[in-house]
């Protein structure tokens, strides 16, 4: 299991940072979300706050994900898990066991497919504190950071700081300052080479269907949402990838794609356990949700595979 180094800027093993700034042709990656070990039984029992004492189902689904992703050709450049890695909140029973078993299930991931971790509300707590953020960083790496891959700039954000930073306002301010600097540098006319695309990864979606929708547990509040949308569009961000909803959703508005992917683990709608295959070409970001069953049996859809041969 190749996990990124714990630093605000990361590079892929065996490659120099400069090499990853250069566009070398189409590639793919995997976006997954919400393995959330422990939720499936807790949801069935109707005890999502205090339940979660069993997680064998999610461990098996994670292992199936690793198996399916490992056999993909061409190999994905990385796999990103967009939050809620486990169900147990910080400092609650089962947390340590769930984290241990998730890491064990992911250990079979091919060393040629780095794993990128995104923090979710269950990873940090609904109201994160400096202590819970530090716990997460110690276990999984930084809660926000950037990396380049194949000429594409990727920004990983801690969306819980946008949702409720009442217990850690300084951390929210630090992330916002960092994000503004990253977007400013990326869109600067003096930046050479310029990123072919800019992608954002976070747990909570900006919105589920429309930028104007009402506030909800599953989206970011309107004021925060509109501010981020304005920043992202000004900088030329192409897509924002998220999870949290445990269903597929999203939409494209003014050239910015809001991608909401369902879960590896517990499904709250009609989707099946799965992940999203994302193909990056010189002009576009093309993505499609694949069930684990389909991905294991047939691999990615043929039309996506052909885009990688261009």
């Amino acid at each position: 299991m190749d996990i990124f180094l714990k630093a605000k800027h990361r590079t892929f093993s065996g490659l120099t940072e400069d090499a990853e700034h250069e566009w070398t042709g189409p590639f793919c990656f995997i976006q997954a979300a919400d393995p959330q070990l422990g939720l499936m039984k807790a949801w069935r029992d109707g005890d999502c706050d205090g339940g979660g004492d069993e997680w064998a189902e999610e461990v098996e689904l994670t292992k199936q994900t690793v198996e399916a992703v490992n056999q993909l050709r061409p190999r994905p450049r990385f796999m990103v898990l967009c939050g809620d890695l486990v169900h147990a909140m910080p400092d609650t029973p089962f947390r340590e066991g769930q984290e241990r078993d998730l890491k064990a299930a992911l250990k079979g991931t091919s060393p040629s497919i780095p794993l990128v971790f995104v923090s979710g509300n269950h990873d940090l707590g609904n109201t994160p504190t400096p202590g819970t953020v530090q716990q997460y960083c110690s276990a999984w790496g930084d809660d926000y950071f950037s990396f380049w891959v194949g000429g594409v700039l990727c920004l990983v954000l801690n969306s819980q700081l946008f949702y409720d930073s009442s217990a850690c306002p300084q951390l929210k301010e630090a992330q916002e300052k960092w994000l503004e600097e990253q977007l400013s540098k990326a869109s600067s006319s003096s930046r050479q080479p310029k990123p072919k695309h800019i992608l954002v990864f976070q747990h909570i979606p900006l919105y589920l269907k429309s930028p104007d929708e009402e506030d909800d547990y599953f989206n970011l509040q309107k004021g925060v949402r509109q501010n981020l949308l304005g920043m992202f569009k000004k900088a030329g961000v192409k897509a924002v990838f998220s999870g949290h909803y445990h269903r597929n959703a999203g939409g494209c508005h003014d050239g910015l794609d809001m991608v909401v992917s369902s879960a590896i683990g517990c499904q709250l709608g009609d989707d099946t356990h799965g992940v999203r295959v994302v193909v990056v070409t010189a002009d576009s970001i093309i993505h499609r949700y694949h069930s684990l069953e389909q991905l294991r049996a047939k691999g990615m859809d043929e039309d996506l595979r052909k885009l990688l041969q261009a």
Side-chain angles (χ1 to χ4, degrees):
M1 179 172 62
D2 190 351
I3 304 177
F4 282 103
L5 297 173
K6 296 174 182 175
K8 283 287 182 271
H9 187 87
R10 307 183 182 191
T11 58
F12 284 87
S13 300
L15 292 172
T16 66
E17 181 180 335
D18 288 345
E20 288 298 343
H21 283 218
E22 299 292 339
W23 174 257
T24 56
F27 64 88
C28 70
F29 67 86
I30 300 298
Q31 186 232 351
D34 300 277
Q36 203 160 344
L37 273 61
L39 177 58
M40 292 176 74
K41 181 175 183 293
W43 184 262
R44 285 195 301 268
D45 292 347
D47 185 14
C48 290
D49 291 331
D53 58 338
E54 294 180 13
W55 51 87
E57 293 171 283
E58 290 96 342
V59 167
E60 178 58 30
L61 289 164
T62 303
K63 289 179 177 178
Q64 291 177 15
T65 300
V66 167
E67 175 190 335
V69 171
N70 280 348
Q71 67 187 19
L72 289 176
R73 299 293 184 276
R75 280 201 188 277
R77 290 299 314 274
F78 64 92
M79 176 164 68
V80 56
L81 279 75
C82 282
D84 278 2
L85 307 175
V86 298
H87 181 61
M89 292 283 190
D91 302 317
T92 63
F94 317 124
R95 171 76 170 213
E96 183 178 347
Q98 289 175 7
E99 288 191 327
R100 178 196 64 230
D101 290 351
L102 178 60
K103 289 181 178 181
L106 291 170
K107 211 165 189 176
T109 307
S110 169
S112 66
I113 306 173
L115 294 172
V116 180
F117 298 108
V118 181
S119 60
N121 59 302
H122 279 262
D123 306 311
L124 300 166
N126 287 321
T127 303
T129 68
T132 63
V133 172
Q134 183 54 50
Q135 287 175 29
Y136 171 85
C137 293
S138 296
W140 300 102
D142 281 332
D143 55 322
Y144 61 94
F145 55 91
S146 67
F147 64 95
W148 286 78
V149 55
V152 174
L153 175 61
C154 300
L155 303 175
V156 172
L157 302 181
N158 178 346
S159 58
Q160 208 59 33
L161 295 179
F162 297 129
Y163 194 84
D164 183 0
S165 63
S166 59
C168 54
Q170 298 91 341
L171 297 183
K172 176 191 177 185
E173 292 171 8
Q175 176 177 242
E176 290 181 347
K177 179 182 179 182
W178 174 88
L179 177 59
E180 290 172 0
E181 291 172 351
Q182 292 289 314
L183 294 175
S184 176
K185 284 192 289 186
S187 58
S188 170
S189 58
S190 62
R191 172 96 211 189
Q192 294 297 332
K194 294 186 73 65
K196 184 64 73 170
H197 305 292
I198 305 172
L199 306 179
V200 171
F201 301 97
Q202 59 188 56
H203 180 60
I204 303 177
L206 297 172
Y207 58 84
L208 300 175
K209 295 180 180 179
S210 168
D212 299 321
E213 69 194 22
E214 294 301 313
D215 294 353
D216 186 271
Y217 170 78
F218 288 111
N219 63 20
L220 288 178
Q221 300 93 328
K222 271 187 178 179
V224 174
R225 181 192 318 159
Q226 295 301 332
N227 181 53
L228 287 171
L229 282 169
M231 291 172 61
F232 292 162
K233 290 176 182 178
K234 181 180 179 181
V237 172
K238 201 66 170 280
V240 178
F241 292 89
S242 68
H244 190 49
Y245 192 44
H246 292 255
R247 287 154 281 201
N248 288 307
C252 191
H253 296 269
D254 296 332
L256 177 61
D257 200 358
M258 180 64 249
V259 185
V260 185
S261 292
S262 196
I264 289 176
C266 188
Q267 302 297 311
L268 302 185
D270 298 326
D271 298 296
T272 57
H273 308 285
V275 299
R276 190 170 297 273
V277 177
V278 185
V279 173
V280 181
T281 70
D283 301 317
S284 304
I285 309 296
I286 305 99
H287 53 86
R288 191 172 303 149
Y289 191 81
H290 290 59
S291 71
L292 294 183
E293 181 180 359
Q294 174 194 352
L295 205 63
R296 293 172 73 203
K298 301 178 181 178
M300 74 177 76
D301 289 340
E302 184 62 28
D303 61 325
L304 296 182
R305 189 181 294 110
K306 287 181 177 177
L307 289 173
L308 295 169
Q309 298 169 353

